[in-house]
Amino acid sequence: MAFKHTDDYTASDWVTIIAVLIISFSLVMVIHELSLLADDGHGLYINLSYMLVFVLNILIFWIINSLIKKNRKLKEMEIVKLREQYLEQFIGNAESQYDAMRKLRHDIKDKYETVNELLKVPKIDETRKFISESFDLIEKSESYVKTKNNIVNAIVNAKLTMASSLGIKISCITVSDFEGIKGTDLCDLLSNTLENAITACKEIADDANKFLYLKIDRETDTYTFLIKNSIDHSVMDSNPRLTTTKADKKQHGLGTSIIREIARKYNGRCDFYESEGMFCCQVTLMADTTVLN
């Protein structure tokens, strides 16, 4: 348990610890009984053995406790690194969207000039065709969500655009305001849940029906994030602990831990389950009135 980087311990872990405690306690009791039956000369050595066992137990406890604290710090550092990666992605996505908007404005200006020249001729049919093609181009660059929170806009639009490019059908419903939730927590929550859903869809055969559903509700001070994705087999049966399927275990696999930590931080809950052939992640958060966005 001390060497693990997770808080999800199995029953066998606890059985081992309990067995060690019982054996240690029994050994101490045996030594104590021997010390009562022995003469003064041997009793001294038995009592010293009794104290040695006691000291060794304290020393082992201290070592295990130190290792657990060290592993927790390492885990926190890994989470911080992962958050930095997501923030870098957010900044990169924001820059890409800004460049795309500048390019789109430039293209629209050129198209207006083209339409103006076509109308001077006039070439009505060619003008209609050109306008129709321009509409198709604008629709392809259209964002999926437009909330009052720039972080949500950048992450959701970037992730859903990635999913769409992979042939995944998208459905998205969201609220506009995210008062009471820190921007970094929104970044972590949405990045991890959507990334996990996209990764799961990528593992399905290309000719299968791939679907990703995102719904964010708010009722008074309670937010509910529901993310569903297609699956071709039961994940809860094959991978009940939801460990990462990616090759690089050190760089990945912290997603579900981060999601659970955010839920605990906002006095909410996090549920993973399957329904109607889809894997579902539902996170409920209570708004923090001290947080200002």
Side-chain angles (χ1 to χ4, degrees):
M1 289 174 65
F3 284 98
K4 285 187 175 181
H5 287 242
T6 177
D7 296 328
D8 299 329
Y9 303 118
T10 62
S12 61
D13 294 326
W14 293 111
V15 168
T16 304
I17 291 296
I18 293 170
V20 170
L21 290 174
I22 292 174
I23 292 170
S24 178
F25 178 75
S26 301
L27 180 61
V28 169
M29 292 299 296
V30 169
I31 295 175
H32 178 68
E33 291 295 330
L34 291 174
S35 68
L36 295 176
L37 299 174
D39 54 37
D40 293 338
H42 291 89
L44 176 62
Y45 293 108
I46 293 174
N47 283 324
L48 288 175
S49 301
Y50 181 94
M51 293 302 298
L52 178 62
V53 172
F54 181 74
V55 171
L56 284 174
N57 273 276
I58 294 176
L59 180 62
I60 291 170
F61 173 80
W62 179 82
I63 292 172
I64 291 175
N65 189 53
S66 299
L67 285 170
I68 290 174
K69 288 182 178 179
K70 179 182 178 182
N71 288 337
R72 284 178 179 171
K73 291 293 182 183
L74 290 173
K75 182 180 177 182
E76 290 174 0
M77 290 176 63
E78 290 175 353
I79 291 174
V80 169
K81 289 180 181 179
L82 189 62
R83 285 177 173 172
E84 289 178 352
Q85 291 177 6
Y86 282 134
L87 288 174
E88 289 177 0
Q89 291 178 9
F90 164 70
I91 294 172
N93 292 333
E95 292 177 349
S96 299
Q97 288 186 352
Y98 178 69
D99 291 338
M101 288 177 62
R102 290 180 58 191
K103 184 177 183 299
L104 185 60
R105 284 198 297 267
H106 181 269
D107 291 343
I108 289 175
K109 181 181 177 182
D110 291 341
K111 286 177 173 55
Y112 277 138
E113 291 178 355
T114 303
V115 170
N116 184 51
E117 294 298 322
L118 289 172
L119 290 175
K120 287 180 181 179
V121 177
K123 295 184 178 179
I124 304 300
D125 292 338
E126 291 184 18
T127 304
R128 288 175 178 172
K129 182 180 178 182
F130 184 80
I131 293 174
S132 178
E133 292 174 351
S134 299
F135 282 154
D136 292 338
L137 179 63
I138 293 173
E139 287 177 357
K140 288 180 181 179
S141 61
E142 188 177 5
S143 298
Y144 290 93
V145 297
K146 186 178 181 181
T147 70
K148 295 180 181 179
N149 189 295
N150 292 329
I151 292 177
V152 173
N153 294 341
I155 294 172
V156 173
N157 287 328
K159 294 295 183 183
L160 295 188
T161 299
M162 179 193 302
S164 180
S165 67
L166 295 171
I168 302 171
K169 296 179 181 178
I170 304 298
S171 178
C172 179
I173 303 172
T174 180
V175 295
S176 180
D177 292 314
F178 292 86
E179 298 175 353
I181 305 179
K182 289 184 179 180
T184 52
D185 293 327
L186 283 170
C187 176
D188 290 342
L189 178 60
L190 291 170
S191 294
N192 280 288
T193 52
L194 292 175
E195 180 66 25
N196 290 344
I198 292 172
T199 301
C201 288
K202 287 167 64 178
E203 294 178 355
I204 302 175
D206 293 336
D207 56 349
N209 184 26
K210 301 181 181 182
F211 189 80
L212 191 156
Y213 174 85
L214 169 64
K215 184 178 182 181
I216 307 175
D217 281 333
R218 180 181 182 182
E219 186 174 349
T220 312
D221 291 332
T222 303
Y223 291 91
T224 302
F225 298 77
L226 177 60
I227 300 91
K228 299 181 181 180
N229 61 267
S230 304
I231 52 176
D232 57 359
H233 65 279
S234 176
V235 178
M236 303 306 295
D237 290 342
S238 61
N239 187 13
R241 299 180 66 178
L242 303 178
T243 55
T244 182
T245 57
K246 294 183 178 180
D248 192 349
K249 305 294 182 182
K250 292 184 178 180
Q251 296 297 326
H252 302 96
L254 295 173
T256 53
S257 297
I258 293 174
I259 296 168
R260 290 190 176 102
E261 287 179 7
I262 293 173
R264 286 194 293 267
K265 179 179 179 180
Y266 288 88
N267 298 317
R269 60 178 296 167
C270 173
D271 295 304
F272 298 97
Y273 59 94
E274 294 174 3
S275 176
E276 299 178 350
M278 300 190 75
F279 182 82
C280 309
C281 171
Q282 183 169 316
V283 182
T284 303
L285 305 180
M286 302 298 293
D288 186 349
T289 56
T290 63
V291 174
L292 297 176
N293 289 331

